[in-house]
Amino acid sequence: MNERLAPVLRTADANAAVAWYARLGFQKQWEHRFAPELPLYVSIARGALEIHLSEHTGDARPGTLLYLYVDDLDAAAAACGVGEVEQMDWGREFEVTDPDGNRLRVGAVQR
């Protein structure tokens, strides 16, 4: 079975969002637009992780929260310009907000 889940995040500018998520190692996989004047829909991925970014107003609401587990939390924090990672009861993490108000909480993979 090769199932996967791709959450959709609302964005006003998909290309700007692609650049923002690149700091965390996400790369554009593909994009789709029905016509040049219509909204853009983009898939970004980091390994097996996939997120869809949509300029379509009905696809998702700004302000969504995603939790991303990474192997090197300190490197991810540095790439996002985060100076201090918080120590929580469940582990270390930090939170950043993309240009569209979507929140990304990033935590260390528990070994």
Side-chain angles (χ1 to χ4, degrees):
M1 192 180 294
N2 190 18
E3 296 176 338
R4 63 181 202 241
L5 178 68
V8 179
L9 297 178
R10 174 75 170 92
T11 182
D13 182 340
N15 288 319
V18 168
W20 190 89
Y21 281 93
R23 299 181 307 165
L24 287 166
F26 285 90
Q27 297 178 341
K28 184 191 294 188
Q29 300 302 295
W30 51 262
E31 67 178 57
H32 175 23
R33 189 187 306 255
F34 285 105
E37 70 281 357
L38 294 177
L40 184 59
Y41 192 93
V42 177
S43 170
I44 58 173
R46 172 188 164 132
L49 308 175
E50 184 176 2
I51 299 172
H52 290 183
L53 305 168
S54 178
E55 294 178 354
H56 295 267
T57 56
D59 280 353
R61 295 181 181 178
T64 297
L65 171 64
L66 298 181
Y67 203 106
L68 171 65
Y69 291 96
V70 297
D71 287 323
D72 191 341
L73 185 62
D74 294 315
C80 290
V82 173
E84 195 169 321
V85 175
E86 293 185 64
Q87 179 64 51
M88 309 303 280
D89 291 342
W90 53 87
R92 299 173 65 229
E93 69 177 22
F94 67 90
E95 184 172 310
V96 289
T97 303
D98 77 10
D100 297 290
N102 297 301
R103 297 176 300 137
L104 191 62
R105 198 167 292 153
V106 184
V109 170
Q110 300 296 316
R111 304 254 182 238

